Amino acid sequence: MTDNDFLVAIHVTTSGVQGQYMGSDEKEVIFITYQALNVTEKQLLDGQESIIQSDQNIPTSLQSQIGITQQQIDNGVSFQDAIAKLNHYLSQICGNVRVICDGPSHLRQCLHPDSVRRDCALSTHCNTFTDIRKEFSH
């Protein structure tokens, strides 16, 4: 039996600057969403998302931009619980996993630094990723 190949798209949102400069202001992660694609079977797995608690008030303009209310953030899960959920999701995939992101900010400038600040280990699957923005810019 051969292992299936999976792509796992991860997207994060911080309480600060969005877009290509996300993470440059070192604001905390407030939303994580991810979904796997079984490339071998050409099948999407159920996606997951976590709204993460924050002590900060999120500007109304950002709330409307990302579609999350302050109340949802106030009632969100802890960062540690969100990472545990992500790690569990990745550990349940039986096959070769490649994480993909729209630019390097999601992992390199946001998720990894926030994990270090909060003493929370990320799955080893998050140590390397493919930047789909870079792959398709040629």
Side-chain angles (χ1 to χ4, degrees):
M1 184 171 145
T2 172
D3 281 341
N4 289 327
D5 291 323
F6 292 86
L7 295 175
V8 179
I10 298 177
H11 178 86
V12 303
T13 302
T14 69
S15 59
V17 175
Q18 302 302 305
Q20 69 180 11
Y21 298 112
M22 184 174 61
S24 62
D25 56 1
E26 298 183 6
K27 296 289 187 174
E28 63 188 354
V29 173
I30 57 169
F31 182 70
I32 305 172
T33 185
Y34 41 93
Q35 186 166 19
L37 168 67
N38 181 329
V39 177
T40 308
E41 302 289 328
K42 297 179 176 65
Q43 180 180 21
L44 278 175
L45 278 60
D46 288 339
Q48 301 288 319
E49 62 182 38
S50 295
I51 299 173
I52 301 167
Q53 291 175 346
S54 175
D55 294 334
Q56 301 176 9
N57 285 328
I58 308 304
T60 307
S61 59
L62 179 58
Q63 290 179 46
S64 62
Q65 180 184 358
I66 62 177
I68 297 173
T69 66
Q70 184 66 48
Q71 183 177 6
Q72 288 174 297
I73 293 169
D74 292 343
N75 295 326
V77 300
S78 70
F79 182 80
Q80 289 77 6
D81 287 346
I83 295 302
K85 184 178 171 182
L86 170 62
N87 289 346
H88 178 74
Y89 183 86
L90 292 170
S91 73
Q92 297 301 302
I93 298 174
C94 298
N96 303 312
V97 174
R98 173 171 286 191
V99 171
I100 60 173
C101 295
D102 181 19
S105 301
H106 299 273
L107 286 175
R108 222 182 263 157
Q109 290 180 261
C110 297
L111 212 49
H112 279 287
D114 227 358
S115 294
V116 169
R117 275 193 296 277
R118 299 179 195 211
D119 194 28
C120 189
L122 279 171
S123 167
T124 56
H125 292 297
C126 295
N127 290 344
T128 59
F129 67 95
T130 299
D131 177 354
I132 60 172
R133 183 180 301 216
K134 183 177 178 183
E135 288 295 318
F136 291 102
S137 67
H138 301 288

